[in-house]
Amino acid sequence: MLVDSSQCCGCGSCAASCPESCITMEYDSEGFRYPHVDPAPCIHCRACEKTCPVMNPPSPADSPKAIAAQNQDGHIRASSSSGGIFFALAENTIRSGGLVCAAVYDEDFSVTHILADTLQDVARQQGAKYPQSSVEHCFAEIRRALRSGTPVMFVGTPCQTAGLRAFLGRDDANLLLVDMICHGVVSPKVWARYLDERQLLDAGKAPVTSVNLRSKATGWSHYQYSVSINYANGASYQACQSKDPLMQGFTLNLYLRRSCSQCVFKGTKRCADLTLGDYWGIWDQNPEFDDNQGTSLLLIHTPKGQEAWDTISGQFRFLETTYQEAVSRNLSAAASSVPHGARDKFFRNLDREKSMIQWITQCLGGGKLGLIQRIRNRLGV
Ligand SMILES: Cc1cc2nc3c(=O)[nH]c(=O)nc-3n(C[C@H](O)[C@H](O)[C@H](O)COP(=O)(O)OP(=O)(O)OC[C@H]3O[C@@H](n4cnc5c(N)ncnc54)[C@H](O)[C@@H]3O)c2cc1C
């Protein structure tokens, strides 16, 4: 028996663990992937139940150590969403002969996890991509790598990290688990349709060459980051996140996965050694530290996480804060996102609407949006 679909986080651990391959991940009408079970070959071993992180959620732990950090290499920080901790951890793993499992854009700009063994692939993994990534195809490969003594660093949403941990069934000295403060994930279908429409508006038929949902060209402090898209014909699109329809719908929870509204991996209920996030509010807490280029929030949960931080901390300008201070302006650290009032209507009519951009704007209530966005930004949600 699998968890109710409203709670299923889509990590795919059940599919990856089924010894008879009875479970496949299939898209629903909202564009999220859910397990589909073929009952005929099922041998009732219950591996799917045992490895479901939602059915076996982590317990709360002590408050972690909290750090505000900036990578001192300006190029690395510019191409990272926050302060560039991911790249430093990943570089260290690759130089030790290990593998880094994290999310990239595919050729068609859908989001998927890959195992990287080069810094070129790590560069593709940099940067937050808000559509939900598919990940379970990497789980068996990670287990094989660990069994052969290869170090692996895994980075994913808290539910994906818990899914991998449940799939593996035990900790491994060679495995570094890194999750993030997570607002929720966007429907891959909404993302694909948004990008198709953007392309048509901005560049006609010219292919998209790059996407950055966390560009710092317009700054980082006070949530001033922007969406930036480039096309093969030299055209480009850039809009501050508060003006971009996709990011407006994301921050106002119009098309997050249903389970994101009842996430069981919030606060200190995590399976990770480290948690990464943006140190939102650093400009008020410690104005002299903020330089508008991005500051990471790092939470250290385990001795293994501390060891990983000790190895890279020399590359950072950092200061220790407290857990309470660090998450006080980052509500997603401890609370699930409350679905937008028009969420159900949005998805009900999605396939009938011709313009994704207009439909998002209409569901968000047009002109009232700017005000709501500013209030939410101030509250850090
Ligand atoms: C869906 C999502 C929601 C987030 N919500 C918040 C939030 O509410 N508050 C907050 O403080 N921080 C949030 N973050 C984290 C933040 O955006 C940065 O990713 C994080 O601070 C790491 O930054 P960095 O500079 O160290 O590294 P970066 O170079 O930015 O590394 C980002 C890492 O996240 C991985 N990643 C990117 N997209 C995905 C994805 N779709 N699924 C799984 N892994 C992915 C990348 O592969 C990479 O390992 C969110 C990230 C994601 C992906």
Side-chain angles (χ1 to χ4, degrees):
M1 200 187 77
L2 298 175
V3 76
D4 181 75
S5 66
S6 65
Q7 292 169 284
C8 170
C9 63
C11 69
S13 176
C14 53
S17 64
C18 178
E20 301 298 317
S21 306
C22 303
I23 305 177
T24 47
M25 298 298 287
E26 294 182 10
Y27 288 98
D28 76 345
S29 62
E30 294 184 351
F32 291 103
R33 294 164 78 240
Y34 286 88
H36 174 83
V37 185
D38 174 2
C42 175
I43 53 169
H44 306 284
C45 66
R46 311 188 98 166
C48 51
E49 289 175 25
K50 290 178 205 148
T51 59
C52 172
V54 178
M55 292 171 98
N56 307 280
S59 310
D62 292 339
S63 290
K65 191 192 257 190
I67 285 169
Q70 298 167 348
N71 199 311
Q72 296 192 79
D73 182 320
H75 295 294
I76 294 174
R77 196 146 60 109
S79 47
S80 304
S81 309
S82 315
I85 293 186
F86 162 70
F87 188 88
L89 289 169
E91 187 179 31
N92 187 51
T93 306
I94 298 286
R95 293 209 193 289
S96 321
L99 299 170
V100 176
C101 186
V104 298
Y105 288 116
D106 237 330
E107 304 86 67
D108 63 354
F109 290 92
S110 57
V111 183
T112 185
H113 267 66
I114 61 160
L115 277 148
D117 60 1
T118 64
L119 289 178
Q120 283 87 335
D121 275 342
V122 166
R124 289 176 63 207
Q125 293 172 328
Q126 272 183 287
K129 302 134 183 112
Y130 294 116
Q132 184 165 33
S133 117
S134 54
V135 68
E136 77 284 354
H137 55 279
C138 294
F139 286 4
E141 215 175 323
I142 292 174
R143 184 168 56 195
R144 270 195 299 277
L146 291 171
R147 280 180 181 161
S148 70
T150 306
V152 177
M153 166 171 141
F154 176 85
V155 188
T157 58
C159 54
Q160 291 174 330
T161 309
L164 171 64
R165 179 67 182 75
F167 168 83
L168 294 171
R170 62 182 184 90
D171 193 17
D172 189 301
N174 274 325
L175 175 67
L176 183 69
L177 289 173
V178 182
D179 72 1
M180 54 195 61
I181 294 178
C182 181
H183 177 78
V185 286
V186 165
S187 153
K189 177 173 170 176
V190 171
W191 165 240
R193 280 195 52 191
Y194 168 82
L195 193 61
D196 281 352
E197 192 171 334
R198 270 262 64 91
Q199 180 185 2
L200 218 58
L201 288 171
D202 302 334
K205 290 205 164 85
V208 177
T209 51
S210 69
V211 170
N212 186 354
L213 296 179
R214 290 295 305 265
S215 165
K216 293 172 177 166
T218 48
W220 172 89
S221 306
H222 302 273
Y223 320 100
Q224 284 305 308
Y225 62 88
S226 51
V227 171
S228 163
I229 304 173
N230 292 307
Y231 302 92
N233 64 355
S236 62
Y237 165 81
Q238 183 158 306
C240 185
Q241 58 86 19
S242 60
K243 301 264 170 5
D244 174 78
L246 182 90
M247 292 304 288
Q248 290 171 340
F250 168 60
T251 51
L252 294 175
N253 314 332
L254 187 60
Y255 30 70
L256 300 183
R257 192 179 176 99
R258 272 177 294 164
S259 59
C260 299
S261 64
Q262 43 188 317
C263 177
V264 296
F265 310 103
K266 291 288 179 188
T268 59
K269 291 177 276 169
R270 294 171 183 273
C271 290
D273 299 300
L274 297 169
T275 297
L276 304 179
D278 290 278
Y279 205 120
W280 299 133
I282 189 77
W283 48 86
D284 290 329
Q285 264 178 38
N286 223 311
E288 68 286 0
F289 193 78
D290 177 33
D291 62 0
N292 200 22
Q293 303 302 308
T295 300
S296 281
L297 163 56
L298 174 69
L299 301 176
I300 303 176
H301 303 283
T302 63
K304 207 200 288 182
Q306 179 69 50
E307 203 180 306
W309 169 242
D310 290 343
T311 311
I312 60 161
S313 61
Q315 300 168 42
F316 287 80
R317 175 177 176 238
F318 67 94
L319 52 94
E320 226 175 277
T321 67
T322 65
Y323 177 61
Q324 282 69 24
E325 250 188 314
V327 300
S328 62
R329 295 285 290 276
N330 206 328
L331 293 194
S332 298
S336 296
S337 299
V338 178
H340 190 280
R343 184 192 184 282
D344 288 347
K345 178 174 102 177
F346 174 84
F347 278 116
R348 219 172 22 248
N349 294 338
L350 184 61
D351 292 340
R352 264 180 267 152
E353 295 295 328
K354 287 210 170 59
S355 165
M356 173 62 65
I357 292 174
Q358 273 174 27
W359 184 228
I360 294 172
T361 311
Q362 198 178 321
C363 286
L364 292 177
K368 277 185 256 154
L369 177 67
L371 176 65
I372 298 169
Q373 177 81 35
R374 281 198 295 280
I375 294 169
R376 292 187 74 105
N377 277 351
R378 192 157 301 165
L379 293 171
V381 289

